[in-house]
Amino acid sequence: MSARIATVSRDTNETQIKVSVNLDGEGRLSCQTGVPFLDHMLDQVARHGMIDLDINATGDLHIDDHHTVEDLGITLGQAFFEAIGDKRGIYRYGHAYVPLDEALSRVVIDFSGRPGLFMNVEFTRDTIGSLDTQLFWEFFQGFVSHARVTLHIDNIKGFNAHHQAETIFKAFGRALRMAVMEDPRMAGQMPSTKGSL
C-alpha cells in the first residue's frame, strides 16, 4: 500500500486552516488552533489512533470558537478522505470502548462513503474550559460529511464532562486506527460486495 498522507488547506473569511495527516504515523501531533481544550482532544486522536497530525488553524475566535471548531472538522475530514484513497485492503470498520474513571464511551466508524453522524451524548456541563460542548457535534458533523464516513458516538456513562469528552476522542482515535489498518486477508480487495465505496 502506498503512503497514505495528505495535506489540505481551507481558507474562508472566518478561518484559515491547514491539516496534514499520515494514517500510518507514530501518534504525533503538532497543533495550534487557539482552542486549548480542542488541542488536548486532538492529541488523544493522534496518540490513540497512531496517526500523525499537523494542524494550524487561525479563526475568528474574537466572535467565538464555532467557526474554528466546525471548519477544523471539515478540513480534517477532507484530509482523511484524500489520504485513505480508494480504501482497498483496509478493515473499513472500527470500534472502541474507552473508560476514564466513571466515564465510558463507545465509538463505531464505517468508511462507507455515506456520511452520517449519530451522536448520543448528554454533557453534564455546557462548557469545558472555554469550549462550548455543543461544538463537539459541529466538529464531528464536519468530519463525517467530508471524510464520507458513518460515525456512531455514545457516551454510555459519566458525570465529569472532561472525562466524557476525553473518552469520546480517545475512542474515536482507536476506532479510526482499527478502520484504516491494512487487512492482510483482504490483500488489496475492496471491503464491499458493491466493488466500490
Side-chain angles (χ1 to χ4, degrees):
M1 190 174 283
S2 59
R4 300 185 302 168
I5 59 176
T7 298
V8 174
S9 295
R10 175 182 168 85
D11 294 328
T12 73
N13 291 335
E14 298 165 339
T15 61
Q16 296 78 47
I17 297 174
K18 183 177 181 180
V19 171
S20 295
V21 60
N22 178 358
L23 299 183
D24 303 300
E26 299 175 354
R28 293 193 302 256
L29 173 73
S30 174
C31 184
Q32 289 185 327
T33 68
V35 185
F37 190 77
L38 181 61
D39 292 353
H40 180 46
M41 293 300 98
L42 292 168
D43 196 17
Q44 306 307 319
V45 175
R47 181 68 53 86
H48 294 280
M50 292 300 291
I51 296 162
D52 292 343
L53 294 174
D54 190 345
I55 297 170
N56 280 290
T58 303
D60 52 2
L61 299 178
H62 60 285
I63 296 175
D64 71 6
D65 297 339
H66 188 287
H67 298 140
T68 299
V69 175
E70 179 182 28
D71 287 3
L72 181 54
I74 290 170
T75 312
L76 186 63
Q78 290 171 332
F80 263 79
F81 182 76
E82 186 175 320
I84 200 71
D86 68 4
K87 306 172 193 169
R88 290 183 184 278
I90 66 167
Y91 276 96
R92 174 181 167 179
Y93 301 100
H95 64 273
Y97 285 82
V98 170
L100 175 54
D101 298 341
E102 88 299 343
L104 175 65
S105 292
R106 174 183 59 221
V107 173
V108 183
I109 193 166
D110 175 11
F111 276 79
S112 61
R114 297 184 303 279
L117 174 62
F118 305 91
M119 188 168 174
N120 182 24
V121 181
E122 293 184 15
F123 284 104
T124 57
R125 293 180 56 194
D126 293 334
T127 59
I128 305 172
S130 62
L131 182 60
D132 183 344
T133 54
Q134 290 183 330
L135 296 183
F136 293 122
W137 190 92
E138 300 293 342
F139 171 84
F140 286 114
Q141 181 63 46
F143 180 84
V144 303
S145 295
H146 293 270
R148 302 182 196 176
V149 299
T150 301
L151 182 64
H152 288 255
I153 300 172
D154 294 283
N155 175 238
I156 296 168
K157 61 176 71 172
F159 57 77
N160 181 300
H162 186 128
H163 292 173
Q164 289 177 292
E166 192 161 329
T167 57
I168 288 166
F169 277 85
K170 284 178 176 176
F172 179 54
R174 296 289 300 189
L176 285 170
R177 180 177 174 178
M178 180 186 293
V180 304
M181 280 178 56
E182 297 178 51
D183 181 352
R185 295 184 65 200
M186 195 61 73
Q189 298 177 59
M190 185 63 67
S192 170
T193 55
K194 293 186 179 77
S196 65
L197 287 170

